[in-house]
Amino acid sequence: MQAVIQDRYGTPDVLRLGELPEPVPADDEILLRVRAVSLNGSDRENLTGRPAYARWSNGLRRPRHPVPGSDVAGVVAGVGSAVTEYAVGDELFGELAGYRGGLAELVCTRPDLLARKPGGLSFAEASTIPQAGGIARRATADVRPGDRVLVNGAGGAGGVFVVALAKHAGAEVTAVDRADKTDFLREIGADRTIDFTTQDWADERDSFDLIVDLVAHRSPLRVHRALPRGGRYAMVGGLARILLSTAIAGPLVGRATGKRVGVLVVPQSRAELEAVTALVAQGAVTPRIDHVYPLRDAPAAFARLAAGESRGKLVLEVSEADSR
Ligand SMILES: NC(=O)c1ccc[n+]([C@@H]2O[C@H](COP(=O)([O-])OP(=O)(O)OC[C@H]3O[C@@H](n4cnc5c(N)ncnc54)[C@H](OP(=O)(O)O)[C@@H]3O)[C@@H](O)[C@H]2O)c1
């Protein structure tokens, strides 16, 4: 089968299209014929091996799994003997364990990480949902009308979903990203925008009931000041040392200040996926696609991801067939 192969960490030009043996599903796995894969910040991290946590699970010196790609939509091509919930021909989508393996014609995965693709969505649209939607649903689950929500890294894959779901919950949303994304951030619903290259939101005091930080690089001692008592800071991604300090010191800072400061860990499951899919069906968030590439153009798609040029998701179509 054709697959995108990554033998080492680096820039998009380390990716090459090659041939790999077709995988065979274990008894508890399904074999998915991949139709579309959307890219997330985690794919860029797994390409470069930075931040350091990308290597903790993925291989310290080189990627253990040679095929990148996490968020897939496709058609069941085979099932293991213990799989009862899905059958050959079912159209499914979801996030792969370890965020690897999607950029191939076929991938084996656990059925409990996949859900049925809504009929109204193309494979490309469905592939945009799993990781970004899961982050956003968890991050905004407690948002109440009138809450002041700041999204740091709002113009990226997860941020776009967080802004949309926070708005849907009735929040007043401040979106932080580069100045050239201001129009895009307004378009997706932000009430206020901050250009992080000229202004530091962490200088504000008691200003946000919830901060969702997708690109964390400030210590818990610094970020909590932007929250009032009862406010919450949720780190989703960012520097590895900030991940550690937020996980360890965040709860202590929170206890001492009457706030909640910590790392948001988003579980992968069919229930999570179905909950996000229901929000998409309600119109709370709409999949946004910046560009669709054929599989052979994976280096170009990753280059656009790395350059921060996309406004919405980048999608790779894996099979030659129409993606609907
Ligand atoms: N906690 C969990 O369970 C979980 C699960 C999955 C993924 N994650 C993590 O979630 C994180 C975010 O993912 P994503 O897909 O949303 O990433 P993304 O698509 O790369 O988006 C990040 C956005 O932040 C912008 N940005 C860069 N530096 C910034 C700064 N200093 N201040 C504000 N904005 C800045 C980027 O702009 P440019 O592109 O222009 O630089 C981009 O628009 C990743 O680190 C991923 O590993 C966490």
Side-chain angles (χ1 to χ4, degrees):
M1 66 168 184
Q2 282 203 322
V4 174
I5 298 172
Q6 178 194 354
D7 300 312
R8 56 197 163 93
Y9 295 112
T11 49
D13 56 6
V14 305
L15 301 174
R16 64 184 168 88
L17 197 60
E19 285 289 328
L20 289 177
E22 289 194 1
V24 177
D27 289 349
D28 59 350
E29 287 183 331
I30 67 161
L31 179 68
L32 193 72
R33 182 165 294 283
V34 181
R35 297 287 292 274
V37 180
S38 85
L39 301 184
N40 294 287
S42 56
D43 294 302
R44 192 194 54 248
E45 294 170 348
N46 287 335
L47 174 70
T48 59
R50 289 198 308 266
Y53 59 69
R55 299 183 187 224
W56 296 343
S57 57
N58 203 26
L60 283 182
R61 291 173 64 83
R62 61 181 60 85
R64 217 172 287 128
H65 191 316
V67 180
S70 116
D71 283 19
V72 296
V75 182
V76 177
V79 294
S81 58
V83 175
T84 52
E85 60 267 65
Y86 296 126
V88 171
D90 286 348
E91 298 183 346
L92 307 177
F93 74 116
E95 189 181 32
L96 299 174
Y99 309 136
R100 302 291 284 181
L103 286 170
E105 288 179 295
L106 293 161
V107 66
C108 289
T109 184
R110 286 164 31 203
D112 59 308
L113 298 182
L114 300 172
R116 291 185 190 277
K117 179 179 82 66
L121 296 183
S122 67
F123 286 101
E125 288 167 334
S127 78
T128 67
I129 296 171
Q131 185 180 118
I135 288 172
R137 196 188 82 81
R138 281 277 164 159
T140 60
D142 298 336
V143 173
R144 300 283 168 260
D147 279 358
R148 298 159 302 165
V149 175
L150 180 135
V151 185
N152 193 38
V160 170
F161 278 74
V162 179
V163 171
L165 291 190
K167 283 304 295 177
H168 179 71
E172 183 191 308
V173 177
T174 300
V176 186
D177 212 300
R178 291 180 203 283
D180 62 4
K181 292 184 193 157
T182 301
D183 290 347
F184 176 65
L185 297 174
R186 292 272 180 198
E187 201 185 303
I188 61 173
D191 299 290
R192 177 185 165 207
T193 59
I194 294 178
D195 169 12
F196 72 84
T197 64
T198 58
Q199 198 184 334
D200 189 347
W201 54 264
D203 289 337
E204 301 195 20
R205 293 287 171 271
D206 302 342
S207 298
F208 307 104
D209 302 297
L210 170 67
I211 296 169
V212 181
D213 200 346
L214 296 127
V215 280
H217 59 273
R218 300 170 178 86
S219 80
L221 283 171
R222 179 149 164 68
V223 293
H224 87 83
R225 296 191 206 139
L227 302 167
R229 267 187 96 74
R232 176 179 167 225
Y233 170 87
M235 175 184 174
V236 178
L239 298 180
R241 66 181 164 77
I242 298 299
L243 177 71
L244 291 174
S245 65
T246 304
I248 295 164
L252 302 175
V253 172
R255 211 168 301 143
T257 58
K259 305 168 187 179
R260 284 186 292 161
V261 177
V263 176
L264 177 77
V265 179
V266 183
Q268 293 181 316
S269 75
R270 184 185 303 139
E272 288 291 325
L273 198 50
E274 288 176 344
V276 182
T277 309
L279 289 164
V280 175
Q282 285 171 32
V285 55
T286 306
R288 281 179 170 266
I289 295 179
D290 174 89
H291 199 83
V292 180
Y293 296 83
L295 189 62
R296 64 177 175 278
D297 288 346
F302 274 82
R304 188 164 172 82
L305 181 74
E309 289 167 350
S310 65
R311 304 291 180 266
K313 280 287 192 103
L314 298 165
V315 174
L316 286 134
E317 249 175 19
V318 178
S319 68
E320 290 302 316
D322 172 14
S323 73
R324 187 171 272 278

